[in-house]
Amino acid sequence: MNSANLQLDDNGSLKHFLTIDGLKREHLVSILDVAESFLNVSDRSVKKVPALRGKVVANLFFENSTRTRTTFELAAKRLSADVLNLNISVSATAKGETLLDTLRNLEAMHVDMFVIRHADSGAAHFIAQHARPGVSVINAGDGRHAHPTQAMLDVFTIRQMKGDFTPLKVAIIGDILHSRVARSQILALNTLGVSEVRVIAPKTLLPHDARESLGVHVFHDLEEGITDADVVIMLRLQKERMDGALLASEQEYFQRFGVTQARIKLASPDAIVMHPGPLNRGVEIESEVADGPQSVILEQVSNGIAIRMAVMAMAMNPRALGGESA
């Protein structure tokens, strides 16, 4: 076993999915390929495959996220798993029970997989370190650290629309500093070998060492950064994670960094426009762009189900899905 990588088993197959960091290109391509095989499940009269029949999946969402929780629930049900959705805000943790206590009690109910969303960075890793053998953990977003399934559905959508990653210039616009989505996206894009990852943001919303620590090209001018980009990704302003007043106003942000019809014309003519959601219209993106012909935002939502099916199936049943991938 790769002891440095909690996510892999002795054969190099996915056991947990906690972060893009530490995974090879081959792992990511395997996830994308398995997701591709699940895409048509949504079009069947019976929207199910038996990959996780008899398994129990618990969604532990300590932070609200209707779209992410719903797509994980749909993904698990389409894999034929039984699903528990826990309302953590009124559960025992609100009464003082520790995260580990919650884990042990659910394991006693023979839960096979935990999908964790938590405000604290590292929460999913903590659960994975302490889970009993045979239990898989999927990170649905932890603090400012990682949101790996969002990154994978984003790169899946890019592959679907663009094919080869190698020549692509990808521009990511917005709150890089607080965004776990951006960190995971950048890791995935660099691992898959895109030509260039650009980040475009005010200085107050960027890590001070972004170029070195993230392996990106840094721009503080939207029009310069978006020029000739093949993929344009906007991030939601992470207001709930901001420390103090890092922006003068949302109106000023839109004037400087909002993606408008005029600005998107600076990108490549066939550029695609993406957003992990939920959208702040008139802050990050103009409605005409969000709803326009270059937008693939709704495709991202649809692809989220296939990606989450792939990750869950690979973690719980790797032998049935090709096993070793690195």
Side-chain angles (χ1 to χ4, degrees):
M1 177 179 179
N2 179 357
S3 59
N5 198 331
L6 182 63
Q7 304 186 93
L8 304 177
D9 67 13
D10 293 341
N11 297 315
S13 300
L14 206 63
K15 180 173 65 171
H16 307 295
F17 192 49
L18 309 173
T19 175
I20 304 295
D21 196 15
L23 296 181
K24 298 178 182 177
R25 184 180 186 279
E26 291 81 1
H27 292 114
L28 303 191
V29 171
S30 289
I31 293 169
L32 298 177
D33 289 345
V34 173
E36 190 86 42
S37 74
F38 284 139
L39 265 185
N40 68 348
V41 173
S42 299
D43 299 325
R44 299 178 186 177
S45 56
V46 177
K47 296 177 173 61
K48 282 184 182 287
V49 293
L52 295 188
R53 182 180 292 157
K55 302 293 186 182
V56 179
V57 176
N59 284 331
L60 296 178
F61 275 54
F62 296 83
E63 277 188 332
N64 291 328
S65 177
T66 301
R67 175 165 30 195
T68 302
R69 185 185 58 75
T70 301
T71 53
F72 268 112
E73 182 177 357
L74 275 172
K77 287 179 175 177
R78 288 182 183 176
L79 293 167
S80 302
D82 296 316
V83 183
L84 296 172
N85 287 314
L86 278 84
N87 185 352
I88 301 298
S89 63
V90 295
S91 77
T93 54
K95 303 169 189 172
E97 184 174 277
T98 69
L99 192 56
L100 202 52
D101 289 333
T102 302
L103 171 68
R104 295 295 177 234
N105 277 285
L106 289 167
E107 285 182 337
M109 300 176 200
H110 305 289
V111 170
D112 299 289
M113 174 177 282
F114 294 96
V115 179
I116 310 287
R117 188 181 186 96
H118 203 285
D120 292 340
S121 298
H125 283 76
F126 177 82
I127 292 287
Q129 286 170 332
H130 291 88
R132 63 176 171 78
V135 170
S136 291
V137 177
I138 309 296
N139 184 3
D142 64 326
R144 299 181 186 179
H145 174 243
H147 197 348
T149 60
Q150 179 68 49
M152 291 307 299
L153 74 88
D154 292 340
V155 296
F156 183 80
T157 306
I158 292 170
R159 188 174 81 162
Q160 199 176 50
M161 299 296 166
K162 293 293 185 183
D164 184 13
F165 289 105
T166 310
L168 298 179
K169 296 185 286 291
V170 182
I172 303 174
I173 305 161
D175 184 6
I176 309 296
L177 180 64
H178 300 91
S179 178
R180 57 195 174 199
V181 172
R183 282 175 172 73
S184 295
Q185 285 172 338
I186 291 164
L187 279 167
L189 290 163
N190 281 331
T191 301
L192 289 164
V194 299
S195 171
E196 183 182 353
V197 180
R198 305 172 182 175
V199 296
I200 308 168
K203 291 180 181 179
T204 54
L205 297 182
L206 273 174
H208 67 89
D209 61 344
R211 186 183 303 274
E212 296 77 21
S213 64
L214 299 176
V216 294
H217 293 83
V218 175
F219 294 84
H220 302 300
D221 179 273
L222 175 63
E223 295 183 359
E224 182 186 0
I226 206 174
T227 297
D228 296 330
D230 302 293
V231 179
V232 178
I233 306 175
M234 278 134 290
L235 300 170
R236 183 174 64 87
L237 282 180
Q238 305 285 314
K239 286 178 261 185
E240 70 276 20
R241 294 193 187 91
M242 285 187 187
D243 302 317
L246 298 179
L247 292 174
S249 69
E250 290 183 352
Q251 183 179 7
E252 182 183 324
Y253 180 86
F254 181 68
Q255 288 172 352
R256 291 187 59 203
F257 295 98
V259 175
T260 62
Q261 283 186 302
R263 286 168 170 164
I264 202 65
K265 289 177 181 175
L266 297 170
S268 294
D270 60 349
I272 57 172
V273 172
M274 305 176 70
H275 194 301
L279 298 174
N280 289 315
R281 292 172 183 262
V283 178
E284 301 128 9
I285 186 170
E286 198 172 57
S287 286
E288 288 79 3
V289 179
D291 303 325
Q294 290 171 276
S295 171
V296 295
I297 294 169
L298 292 180
E299 286 84 347
Q300 289 173 265
V301 178
S302 296
N303 289 338
I305 298 171
I307 279 290
R308 285 161 180 146
M309 286 176 72
V311 168
M312 297 166 95
M314 291 171 75
M316 286 302 303
N317 194 8
R319 286 180 297 280
L321 293 160
E324 187 171 330
S325 56

